[in-house]
Amino acid sequence: EFGRRVAQAEGAHRDTISSDHDVARVMRPIIGALPHEECWVLYLASSGKILEKMRVSQGGVQATVVDCRLIIKRALELIAVQIVMVHNHPSGLAEPSGQDLSLTQRVRDAAALFEIRLLDHVIITSNAHYSFRGKGHIK
């Protein structure tokens, strides 16, 4: 617990996102070891500075329900120009499901209507991560 808190505090001092590794470093202490799925969104300025980290859903062991409208609403309120979706897989497997791919596309399309860029969607486990941008799912 102490180590998790130290890592979380260190992540708060490095509040700029420029890669999926930055996302994993910031979010693993928060969601990496949870026994249930949570989906978070990082709202970013054009410089990559984190404006806000917000949990948008909490679910069970295998799934969580995400409302795209709530993600976009908060991005507009913050005047964020980029967002990064992040969720965990309690199973320890970082590979995306069909629902993960579908959700990514829906959020990307909804954000684009307001000229907000979905920078990445990162799946976090306790010791690995998967980047949708890194694997070519987001251009």
Side-chain angles (χ1 to χ4, degrees):
E1 178 62 22
F2 179 71
R4 185 187 68 76
R5 288 183 185 191
V6 168
Q8 188 173 358
E10 286 176 359
H13 296 297
R14 300 180 213 149
D15 59 354
T16 300
I17 300 296
S18 60
S19 71
D20 57 303
H21 298 286
D22 291 337
V23 174
R25 184 193 72 244
V26 168
M27 294 303 295
R28 182 169 286 119
I30 299 170
I31 64 172
L34 293 176
H36 59 274
E37 277 200 21
E38 288 190 3
C39 184
W40 288 63
V41 175
L42 305 179
Y43 295 95
L44 309 175
S46 59
S47 65
K49 182 179 188 306
I50 298 174
L51 301 172
E52 182 175 279
K53 294 180 276 204
M54 185 174 107
R55 181 175 58 192
V56 294
S57 72
Q58 179 176 329
V61 174
Q62 293 184 326
T64 186
V65 177
V66 177
D67 189 336
C68 296
R69 294 170 292 195
L70 296 177
I71 293 171
I72 302 308
K73 175 184 179 279
R74 187 63 184 150
L76 293 170
E77 291 169 350
L78 293 169
I79 312 174
V81 296
Q82 305 178 100
I83 58 175
V84 175
M85 293 178 52
V86 188
H87 80 277
N88 65 317
H89 278 179
S91 68
L93 301 175
E95 293 296 314
S97 67
Q99 291 94 344
D100 295 338
L101 293 165
S102 174
L103 173 63
T104 303
Q105 184 175 18
R106 286 193 332 267
V107 171
R108 185 195 65 213
D109 293 348
L113 292 172
F114 297 96
E115 298 179 4
I116 299 167
R117 181 177 178 213
L118 176 60
L119 191 61
D120 205 345
H121 181 176
V122 179
I123 299 171
I124 303 279
T125 68
S126 59
N127 60 6
H129 72 274
Y130 181 98
S131 165
F132 282 67
R133 177 166 299 282
K135 298 295 185 180
H137 297 293
I138 299 174
K139 306 268 187 240

